[in-house]
Amino acid sequence: MIRTRAKYHLGQVVRHKKHPFRGVVFDVDPQFSNTDEWYASIPEDSRPSKEQPFYHLLAENDQSYYVAYVSEQNLVADYSGEPVDHPDIPDLFGPFEDGHYPLHFQLN
């Protein structure tokens, strides 16, 4: 059994190291848990290791809002103090405060 510890937490605002988007963490997989097709679609020279946490993000860039699945090695904490405007945030989180979004409900 692989034991991992996630660096980022639910409700935290993060940004991608290489691509121009940021997002709010709404779920964490302790290691890769997406399809092999999705993984194979990443260029081989930039494919991350599967043995690390992967984060589900409510993401935004200058053009759109979407859900992103990103390895821990490709994220950094966003300390801009700016909220993320993804339209699904109110479904999961309370209002932006002190740089993060509090959960609306307790998870198991």
Side-chain angles (χ1 to χ4, degrees), residues 4-5 8 16 22 29-30 40 48 60 64 67 80 86 98 101 103:
T4 58
R5 183 172 179 93
Y8 305 108
H16 198 282
R22 35 195 310 267
D29 294 333
E60 67 178 12
S64 65
V67 172
S80 69
H86 194 289
D98 298 325
Y101 290 90
L103 285 172

Side-chain angles (χ1 to χ4, degrees), residues 36-56:
D36 290 333
E37 292 80 17
W38 183 91
Y39 191 74
S41 73
I42 301 169
E44 193 170 345
D45 62 337
S46 58
R47 240 178 245 156
S49 165
K50 290 183 176 182
E51 287 76 35
Q52 63 179 309
F54 275 73
Y55 297 83
H56 300 262

Side-chain angles (χ1 to χ4, degrees), residues 48-97:
S49 165
K50 290 183 176 182
E51 287 76 35
Q52 63 179 309
F54 275 73
Y55 297 83
H56 300 262
L57 308 176
L58 295 175
E60 67 178 12
N61 62 26
D62 290 341
Q63 291 84 34
S64 65
Y65 303 108
Y66 52 97
V67 172
Y69 190 65
V70 185
S71 63
E72 186 169 272
Q73 76 184 51
N74 285 318
L75 292 174
V76 293
D78 183 311
Y79 297 112
S80 69
E82 296 294 320
V84 173
D85 295 324
H86 194 289
D88 294 338
I89 288 174
D91 295 339
L92 298 173
F93 301 102
F96 186 69
E97 58 185 47

Side-chain angles (χ1 to χ4, degrees), residues 13-28:
V13 178
V14 294
R15 63 181 174 83
H16 198 282
K17 287 181 179 177
K18 299 175 185 175
H19 301 291
F21 72 86
R22 35 195 310 267
V24 179
V25 176
F26 72 90
D27 196 10
V28 182

